Amino acid sequence: MPELPEVEVFKRYFDATSLHQRIVGADVRSAYVLKGISARELVRQLKGRQFESSKRHGKHLFVRVSENLWLRLHFGMTGSLCYFKEEGKAPQHTRVVFVFEKGHRLVFDDQRKFGQIGLIEDVDDYLKKRALGPDTLAIDLKQFEDILKKHRGPVKSILMNQRLIAGIGNIYADEILFRTCVHPATQVSALTNRAVATLFHATRHILRKAIDAKADLQRIPRSWLLADRGKGGKCPRCGRELKSATIGGRTAWFCAHCQGRAVKS
Ligand SMILES: [Zn+2]
């Protein structure tokens, strides 16, 4: 599932391929991903215009079309982007094709169809309406501390709560907690100030490193949990078998040996 690093990689890909070209049409092959807009309206609004710039917030990507018009993309479980210059190259799960002049195309590919495409007038209004928290990479230590101190619950649930901090999902929450040796079920109230600061720096480190690695498993350091995360996986630090538990409605993977529950000093 695309989280902050994957969406940032999509943003950079979008910026490198799809800005400043005249849009001549949009081919909607699965209207299921369109939210709050019809295929006909999408085409009508985009035709003759250009994508001017883009902006990421958490797991959302917003593309500016004009002053009061933004394309909104959410990648759901399996969404991705693919730009190509020749016909007949569309990926298998093409849902929407944005067609530029000279026949160049940008495809929104999404096998499981949980992705979303919409048009909005204002990004800040949209974020407010959806009650999304600040972007994880845009907050400082003080804001991070406030968020953790003002809420109760397992630290993993807090990290994944998009209304508190936007961008971290199941995979990267596990990775951040693994790096800091914190058990995912640890109550935030039990974290010392020092542990919170460590968590903050680890969060930035993990997300930035993942972006640098283009969120590509082959490039992610082997010392991370990511490649081993799953049944039968071994802790890259101590070699013991990883454990799983349901926390905040999602499956957490962790090393029971390395990630101690007791962090109270
Ligand atoms: Zn371990």
Side-chain angles (χ1 to χ4, degrees), residues 235 237-238 255 257-258:
C235 170
R237 206 175 279 148
C238 74
C255 173
H257 177 73
C258 294

Side-chain angles (χ1 to χ4, degrees), residues 6 8 19 45-46 48 66 88 104 111 125 142 160 164 173 207-208 210 230 234 259 264:
E6 285 81 7
E8 180 62 28
L19 294 179
Q45 295 267 22
L46 294 181
S66 68
H104 299 173
Q111 184 183 356
D125 273 359
K142 173 83 178 57
M160 288 194 302
L164 302 181
L207 296 179
R208 283 178 170 165
K234 303 263 190 302
Q259 294 170 255
K264 230 172 196 164

Side-chain angles (χ1 to χ4, degrees), residues 90-237:
Q92 196 184 353
H93 306 290
T94 295
R95 304 303 176 197
V96 177
V97 188
F98 299 98
V99 186
F100 302 110
E101 56 189 348
K102 296 181 193 156
H104 299 173
R105 292 164 164 77
L106 178 74
V107 161
F108 183 80
D109 182 79
D110 186 12
Q111 184 183 356
R112 300 199 45 197
K113 295 199 270 191
F114 285 103
Q116 299 183 4
I117 292 179
L119 285 175
I120 58 169
E121 285 182 5
D122 187 89
V123 173
D124 290 336
D125 273 359
Y126 177 81
L127 297 176
K128 220 178 197 176
K129 265 186 214 144
R130 291 286 297 260
L132 282 169
D135 182 71
T136 310
L137 285 178
I139 57 172
D140 59 20
L141 175 59
K142 173 83 178 57
Q143 287 167 287
F144 188 78
E145 282 171 350
D146 283 350
I147 291 164
L148 264 63
K149 276 182 189 153
K150 282 182 190 154
H151 297 88
R152 284 160 180 260
V155 62
K156 184 171 175 191
S157 305
I158 303 287
L159 289 177
M160 288 194 302
N161 187 336
Q162 302 302 299
R163 291 177 172 225
L164 302 181
I165 334 169
I168 304 169
N170 196 27
I171 305 267
Y172 289 100
D174 279 354
E175 198 65 60
I176 291 160
L177 294 168
F178 177 72
R179 182 174 175 85
T180 49
C181 300
V182 173
H183 190 289
T186 308
Q187 294 292 314
V188 276
S189 56
L191 295 171
T192 61
N193 288 344
R194 199 169 158 191
V196 170
T198 305
L199 207 52
F200 172 74
H201 294 296
T203 298
R204 296 178 74 79
H205 175 84
I206 292 288
L207 296 179
R208 283 178 170 165
K209 276 274 176 197
I211 293 167
D212 289 347
K214 295 192 159 52
D216 175 354
L217 199 56
Q218 304 302 320
R219 301 187 192 200
I220 296 274
R222 287 292 301 137
S223 57
W224 287 25
L225 188 67
L226 203 60
D228 301 286
R229 203 177 165 280
K231 209 166 167 53
K234 303 263 190 302
C235 170
R237 206 175 279 148

